Amino acid sequence: MALDMQRAETVRYALIQNVIDIIQDNAAKWNVPHDFNVGKRLSVSGNTLHIGRKSFEAYEIGKFSVNTEGSMALYDRYGKKLCGTLSLNVSLKNIDIFCKWIKINNVFAEVITGKAERIFQYIFMIVGIAVIVLIKVLRNFG
């Protein structure tokens, strides 16, 4: 079980590194399909990004950020978040093609540190362990 968790984490960080490599590379050599889906809520048709029922042209997207822990977000030119981690993350199908589309369309892409997210993950893990221990202790007294 621990070996499977370690493999899953290794694969996850390899996917994150692949995405970071794509957004930091020169986009001139890439070809992307005209139409493709990115998960369930996002799709691309030419230079248009569809998020649910809303559509945005590539020039309307101001920034694409990738967290070193795998979270992603898209913002418009005024800084309003268009979509975040729940609908855009490293585990989606065609995320690599989407990152290439971002670069080809000259959307500003940045990599940000995942320190805060990592701290949140540790806090969540500690709270989870504490709840499990508390449940076991209460069962012994009940």
Side-chain angles (χ1 to χ4, degrees):
M1 176 107 163
L3 190 58
D4 290 339
M5 293 286 285
Q6 186 178 10
R7 283 186 191 147
E9 186 172 340
T10 302
V11 169
R12 178 173 176 257
Y13 282 109
L15 289 170
I16 294 167
Q17 188 58 50
N18 183 44
V19 165
I20 291 171
D21 290 344
I22 290 170
I23 68 167
Q24 292 178 339
D25 198 10
N26 182 2
K29 61 187 172 203
W30 292 322
N31 291 319
V32 297
H34 187 267
D35 299 326
F36 61 94
N37 291 330
V38 185
K40 293 181 181 180
R41 289 195 60 223
L42 277 82
S43 64
V44 172
S45 178
N47 289 335
T48 306
L49 172 65
H50 306 282
I51 304 172
R53 295 181 182 186
K54 296 181 179 179
S55 296
F56 303 93
E57 293 297 319
Y59 67 85
E60 294 178 288
I61 301 171
K63 181 174 72 170
F64 173 64
S65 66
V66 178
N67 186 309
T68 55
E69 291 298 316
S71 298
M72 299 177 179
L74 273 174
Y75 300 89
D76 68 8
R77 293 186 303 181
Y78 306 106
K80 181 182 173 195
K81 187 184 269 189
L82 300 175
C83 68
T85 302
L86 296 178
S87 56
L88 185 64
N89 58 59
V90 73
S91 65
L92 296 175
K93 81 171 187 180
N94 296 330
I95 194 66
D96 54 338
I97 297 171
F98 179 72
C99 292
K100 292 173 185 177
W101 181 85
I102 288 287
K103 289 299 284 186
I104 288 171
N105 286 286
N106 296 318
V107 174
F108 175 72
E110 69 176 350
V111 177
I112 55 177
T113 179
K115 193 178 227 180
E117 188 171 332
R118 176 64 78 161
I119 291 169
F120 179 74
Q121 289 172 351
Y122 284 132
I123 290 171
F124 189 73
M125 181 180 69
I126 290 168
V127 169
I129 291 171
V131 167
I132 291 170
V133 169
L134 184 63
I135 289 171
K136 288 188 181 219
V137 167
L138 290 176
R139 280 189 185 162
N140 289 338
F141 287 116

